[in-house]
Amino acid sequence: EVQLVESGGGLVKPGGSLRLSCAASGFTFSNAWMNWVRQAPGKGLEWVGRIKSKTDGGTTDYAAPVKGRFTISRDDSKNTLYLQMNSLKTEDTAVYYCTTFSVGAFDYWGQGTLVTVSS
Amino acid sequence: QSALTQPASVSGSPGQSITISCTGTSSDVGNYNLVSWFQQHPGKAPKFMIYEVSKRPSGVSNRFSGSKSGNTASLTISGLQAEDEADYYCCSYGGSSTWVFGGGTKLTVL
C-alpha cells in the first residue's frame, strides 16, 4: 500500500524558512516522479513543483509564485522528499501535500501538513 | 498561468446525473490530453478520479466519466449518491513542465 506522510509544517514569520519532509513507502520511491501541491485555507489546489527520478535526470520545475524561493530535493536512500521554503510570504500559508506522479496525473496523496506564515 | 475555470457549485438529487465543466485555453486543456479530476471531502486529501481526460484508475466507480471538447473538459457523475457530495477539481498540463488546477466545484446532493 502506497503511503505518503508529510511533516515539518508549523508557524513561521514572514521572511522565514521551513523545510517539509514527505516519507514514502509501499512503492519504489527512487523510480518515482514526485510533486508538491498546496491548498490555502478555504481555497483550491495549486501545483507547487516537481522533481523527476534520478534515472530521468532528477530535474526540478516550479510554479511561478515559488520559483527562486522554494527548492525540492529527494533522498532516495531514505525514501524521503523535501521542500525547502525560503523567504516565506503570508500568501504561502497552506496545507502542503506531497504526491506521486504517473499516467500523467497526481495519483497518490499524503494527508498534508499545514504551514502558517504570520507575524 | 491562470487557474482553469470551474463553476463554483453544482447540485443534483440522488440518482440524477450532473456534469462539471472545466474551461482552460489552447495552451493547456485544448492542447494536451492530460486532464485529470480529483474528489476532495472536507478535511481530507484529494482523491484521484480520472486521468488522461477519460480514463478511470482502478477502484473508481464507473459512475464517474470524463470527456473533453476543445478547451473545455467535463466530469459527469451518473446515479448520484450521497457520498458523492464533495469538492471536485480538474487539472491540466500547462506546457513547459507546469500544471494548472481549476478553482474547484462544490457538489451538493440534495
Side-chain angles (χ1 to χ4, degrees):
Chain A
E1 179 196 3
V2 172
Q3 281 205 318
L4 299 168
V5 180
E6 301 94 337
S7 61
L11 175 64
V12 61
K13 290 182 167 48
S17 298
L18 206 59
R19 188 178 84 156
L20 306 183
S21 300
C22 171
S25 60
F27 63 103
T28 305
F29 180 76
S30 60
N31 290 344
W33 291 25
M34 300 295 296
N35 290 260
W36 288 96
V37 175
R38 67 184 180 182
Q39 186 171 33
K43 303 294 185 185
L45 301 170
E46 180 184 24
W47 176 75
V48 171
R50 182 224 66 224
I51 186 167
K52 294 183 180 179
S53 64
K54 285 195 168 54
T55 303
D56 290 320
T59 54
T60 52
D61 285 284
Y62 300 94
V66 307
K67 201 166 187 177
R69 300 187 299 122
F70 289 12
T71 302
I72 298 174
S73 61
R74 62 192 302 156
D75 185 337
D76 291 344
S77 68
K78 295 181 178 178
N79 287 350
T80 301
L81 176 73
Y82 301 102
L83 178 65
Q84 177 67 45
M85 303 184 293
N86 298 330
S87 303
L88 281 161
K89 306 175 181 181
T90 55
E91 53 262 42
D92 295 319
T93 294
V95 172
Y96 285 74
Y97 296 100
C98 72
T99 86
T100 56
F101 180 84
S102 68
V103 293
F106 309 111
D107 49 353
Y108 291 96
W109 297 60
Q111 86 290 347
T113 187
L114 176 62
V115 173
T116 303
V117 184
S118 174
S119 54
Chain B
Q1 189 160 30
S2 299
L4 307 176
T5 300
Q6 298 180 231
S9 62
V10 298
S11 62
S13 299
Q16 288 185 333
S17 293
I18 63 94
T19 296
I20 299 171
S21 62
C22 168
T23 301
T25 69
S26 57
S27 296
D28 39 61
V29 174
N31 201 33
Y32 305 99
N33 286 326
L34 289 173
V35 176
S36 49
W37 289 88
F38 301 87
Q39 176 192 65
Q40 186 179 35
H41 287 107
K44 301 293 188 184
K47 178 186 175 185
F48 173 47
M49 303 298 285
I50 295 285
Y51 68 100
E52 291 180 2
V53 176
S54 60
K55 298 177 182 177
R56 273 189 312 276
S58 172
V60 172
S61 170
N62 60 8
R63 298 186 298 106
F64 292 82
S65 61
S67 62
K68 190 184 86 166
S69 177
N71 296 338
T72 298
S74 299
L75 174 71
T76 297
I77 309 173
S78 59
L80 212 54
Q81 299 179 359
E83 63 257 33
D84 299 333
E85 185 163 293
D87 293 328
Y88 291 85
Y89 294 90
C90 61
C91 179
S92 173
Y93 181 60
S96 302
S97 299
T98 64
W99 294 83
V100 59
F101 283 91
T105 298
K106 181 176 180 58
L107 169 61
T108 300
V109 180
L110 302 170

